[in-house]
Amino acid sequence: MTYIAASLMCGDQLYIGDELAKLEEANCDLLHLDVMDGVYVNNLALGPEWIAAVKEATTIPIDIHLATIDPIKYIEMFAPIKPDYLSFHVEEAKNCKEAIEKIKSFGIKTSIALNPETPIEAIIPFLDDVDMVLMMTVNPGFSGQKFNKKVLNKIEELKKLLVGREHKPLIEVDGNIKSETITWMNHSQPDVFVLGTSALFHKNDDESYNTRIANLRQQIENHQII
């Protein structure tokens, strides 16, 4: 099954309530919420009070991405919100097993994230313990970056690693996901596509979010490998 996630930091921050209503109408599957500390990435975004308010205002499941140093500190800060998914970066975790167990202790689905240049080997020991793998196709921090095509090989490598496994975490892709880059992933077939400025929140035409999401979902499903 294909899941469409909306990167809410790319939405109109002055009218988030309106954005949530439009995303619900468009049958968006997940809200992807980036938490950035200004240290691990050169940007600041989305504090716990703001995300808690979003969770109260919508029925769409919440997917929090911690682009931070010291994952345990931020897991403890954001887990009480009870998102559906919570991801941390393998590059910053001193003890990935500890971070995974900490997330699970809150009854939250666990996701592990890796940057474009991080080899897939970094997450192999944890594939049986996580519910999702977040493959960044750009460096975290800012929208509008160029899609890193090297990640396509990593996605295919991960798909091969999951063949025959009883436990198969979802594969989520984030970073300049749009019609063109989705086409590049026809043979790797991730499960969750995070849409930001390029595909969803842009103002280049008068299409509704409903139309944009439906069109991209149809494009993905038309090329799914059976």
Side-chain angles (χ1 to χ4, degrees), residues 34-41 65-69 87-89 140-141:
D34 291 301
V35 173
M36 296 183 282
D37 60 2
V39 182
Y40 183 56
V41 296
H65 168 208
L66 300 177
T68 69
I69 62 169
S87 65
F88 66 93
H89 271 266

Side-chain angles (χ1 to χ4, degrees), residues 42-112:
N42 293 321
N43 199 356
L44 291 168
L46 307 189
E49 293 86 359
W50 191 90
I51 293 178
V54 166
K55 188 172 188 293
E56 287 296 315
T58 184
T59 58
I60 303 174
I62 303 293
D63 168 30
I64 295 179
H65 168 208
L66 300 177
T68 69
I69 62 169
D70 194 358
I72 294 294
K73 170 185 174 181
Y74 286 90
I75 289 168
E76 292 176 343
M77 189 183 301
F78 285 86
I81 299 171
K82 294 290 185 178
D84 294 82
Y85 291 91
L86 183 57
S87 65
F88 66 93
H89 271 266
V90 67
E91 298 90 355
E92 284 298 312
K94 295 177 182 178
N95 186 327
C96 285
K97 286 283 189 180
E98 180 186 6
I100 290 167
E101 289 307 314
K102 176 67 73 172
I103 295 172
K104 287 183 175 182
S105 72
F106 286 91
I108 298 167
K109 293 178 182 177
T110 307
S111 175
I112 192 166

Side-chain angles (χ1 to χ4, degrees), residues 168-207:
K168 295 182 181 181
L170 298 174
I171 300 174
E172 181 177 37
V173 288
D174 180 17
N176 199 6
I177 305 301
K178 56 185 179 180
S179 182
E180 179 185 14
T181 57
I182 286 172
T183 300
W184 299 341
M185 292 181 276
N186 283 345
H187 297 292
S188 50
Q189 286 300 317
D191 304 289
V192 184
F193 296 78
V194 178
L195 307 183
T197 305
S198 5
L200 182 58
F201 293 106
H202 65 81
K203 298 179 180 178
N204 296 339
D205 52 50
D206 295 325
E207 282 185 339

Side-chain angles (χ1 to χ4, degrees), residues 102-159:
K102 176 67 73 172
I103 295 172
K104 287 183 175 182
S105 72
F106 286 91
I108 298 167
K109 293 178 182 177
T110 307
S111 175
I112 192 166
L114 67 164
N115 288 332
E117 299 302 329
T118 302
I120 206 74
E121 286 75 15
I123 64 165
I124 289 177
F126 315 109
L127 291 178
D128 287 333
D129 302 315
V130 298
D131 300 286
M132 188 159 67
V133 175
L134 171 53
M135 306 281 283
M136 294 300 301
T137 53
V138 303
N139 290 317
F142 294 91
S143 62
Q145 298 180 63
K146 185 177 180 181
F147 185 103
N148 189 328
K149 285 190 174 182
K150 291 180 181 178
V151 181
L152 297 173
N153 292 331
K154 288 170 57 179
I155 298 170
E156 291 192 23
E157 187 178 352
L158 178 55
K159 294 282 284 191

Side-chain angles (χ1 to χ4, degrees), residues 11-31:
D12 189 332
Q13 301 301 296
L14 288 178
Y15 299 98
I16 280 300
D18 292 342
E19 296 283 43
L20 292 173
K22 289 190 287 187
L23 290 169
E24 287 183 1
E25 183 183 357
N27 296 315
C28 180
D29 300 304
L30 288 171
L31 291 178

